[in-house]
Amino acid sequence: MKNAIGMVGLGRMGANMARRLHQGGAQVVVYNRHVDKAEALARESGMAAADTLEALVAALPSPRVLWLMLPAGDATQSHIDALVPLLSAGDVLVNGANAQYETSIAQAAHVEQAGVRYVDAGVSGGVWGLQEGYALMVGGSREAVAAVTPFLQILAPAPDQGWLHCGPVGSGHFVKMVHNGIEYGMMQALAEGFAILNGKEAFHLDLAQVAEMWRHGSVVRSWLLDLSADFLKKDQALDSIAPVVADSGEGLWTAQAALDLRIPAPVITLALQMRWASQGHADYTARMLAMMRNEFGGHAVQKEA
């Protein structure tokens, strides 16, 4: 098979990346720990499915390219450990997880001892990537990245746009980490701004109209604003949405990198901490503050329902 690639992990990102590669002319063999998911995707699209990692490797011509789209940590590491003994010198293993860049550097050292080339790939695009293309930040040797370039060109919004060989191993995940840290700050600023607009009840502002207007000519126009305008058209009150915001870990890694480099990053750090606050981690702090106000000033304390 010419232009063949194995895709390991068929979650929301992995499955859609496999679809985009297939639609772009790549010969895709898919594998998932739950085999029925791979088989369903194969039936839907005409791709080939493998029921074991051994079958996946056997189905690909040398030099093989395997792209892992798995959760960072044990899931990715266990698949790497299982795949490396099955691969040959010159094969390429791509780690597309939201992994810490230092972990990628350590993984590469292990993988490359077996003669297998390693690429760390930060992938952005979410559920829109299938339609719009993905932003891809990759690290690795020139030879390893050259081997995966045909696939990067299919996955990206255009063959010459939206992907970058950032530098040596680790640099792809480092750039993606900082990208996500910036994303935290941008999202926080937009959310705070719309909360202020919503709070000025006397003006009866239509937040959907404000968001739509800002999308055209404003300096705050962005994809995040586009998405916000879309959901505000459907629901401005957001009463059914729990005020809990998860964090993937990349905001924390970005803040830690800033501390290590002694580079001030207050916006990213505070945006991360606001996510923690939404998860209940500020509850005891708030209770302490309420009790201090009660003790020194006699201010009333609200009781939990």
Side-chain angles (χ1 to χ4, degrees):
M1 290 188 295
K2 184 182 178 183
N3 216 24
I5 184 170
M7 181 65 70
V8 178
L10 301 176
R12 284 176 298 178
M13 289 279 281
N16 275 348
M17 288 172 67
R19 290 184 179 100
R20 187 171 175 90
L21 287 165
H22 177 72
Q23 292 169 8
Q27 303 297 313
V28 185
V29 184
V30 294
Y31 169 82
N32 195 76
R33 184 168 61 91
H34 299 291
V35 178
D36 56 337
K37 186 174 284 191
E39 292 174 342
L41 183 57
R43 286 193 300 270
E44 166 207 315
S45 61
M47 299 180 220
D51 57 1
T52 65
L53 290 176
E54 290 81 0
L56 174 67
V57 171
L60 297 169
S62 296
R64 304 173 186 87
V65 175
L66 291 102
W67 192 305
L68 278 61
M69 284 303 297
L70 298 161
D74 292 342
T76 294
Q77 187 62 58
S78 63
H79 280 78
I80 290 175
D81 291 342
L83 278 167
V84 168
L86 305 175
L87 299 178
S88 304
D91 291 347
V92 181
L93 199 56
V94 182
N95 178 2
N98 272 342
Q100 193 173 33
Y101 74 97
E102 292 172 325
T103 300
S104 300
I105 293 171
Q107 283 176 346
H110 168 67
V111 167
E112 289 171 355
Q113 283 182 345
V116 176
R117 294 174 289 183
Y118 181 99
V119 172
D120 61 293
V123 184
S124 180
V127 296
W128 293 90
L130 174 59
Q131 175 183 329
E132 303 290 339
Y134 298 88
L136 301 142
M137 297 142 266
V138 301
S141 69
R142 185 176 300 173
E143 296 76 18
V145 173
V148 302
T149 293
F151 309 109
L152 300 174
Q153 292 174 329
I154 295 172
L155 289 167
D160 59 347
Q161 293 179 344
W163 69 275
L164 178 68
H165 181 191
C166 299
V169 164
S171 64
H173 280 153
F174 184 81
V175 173
K176 176 59 163 52
M177 176 192 77
V178 176
H179 165 281
N180 280 27
I182 294 169
E183 178 185 298
Y184 276 44
M186 292 174 66
M187 292 174 69
Q188 184 69 28
L190 281 170
E192 290 176 6
F194 278 98
I196 295 166
L197 293 173
N198 187 57
K200 189 64 174 176
E201 296 178 357
F203 286 161
H204 304 290
L205 296 171
D206 187 319
L207 302 189
Q209 289 184 355
V210 172
E212 182 61 31
M213 180 271 294
W214 278 354
R215 292 181 60 229
H216 307 282
S218 164
V219 295
V220 300
R221 63 187 184 272
S222 64
W223 188 40
L224 289 170
L225 181 61
D226 295 343
L227 297 174
S228 299
D230 184 59
F231 69 69
L232 286 171
K233 289 175 187 173
K234 303 167 188 171
D235 177 15
Q236 294 190 27
L238 306 180
D239 290 335
S240 64
I241 307 302
V244 178
V245 188
D247 65 286
S248 64
E250 299 228 348
L252 173 60
W253 299 338
T254 306
Q256 289 172 332
L259 288 169
D260 291 341
L261 296 168
R262 295 175 179 253
I263 294 174
V267 172
I268 292 171
T269 302
L270 188 55
L272 167 67
Q273 292 175 341
M274 289 301 294
R275 293 197 180 193
W276 291 342
S278 81
Q279 297 164 26
H281 295 295
D283 288 359
Y284 191 79
T285 305
R287 292 187 179 101
M288 285 290 300
L289 289 167
M291 285 304 300
M292 281 187 270
R293 292 184 76 249
N294 175 262
E295 289 295 317
F296 74 70
H299 303 288
V301 175
Q302 295 183 30
K303 297 294 185 179
E304 288 276 18

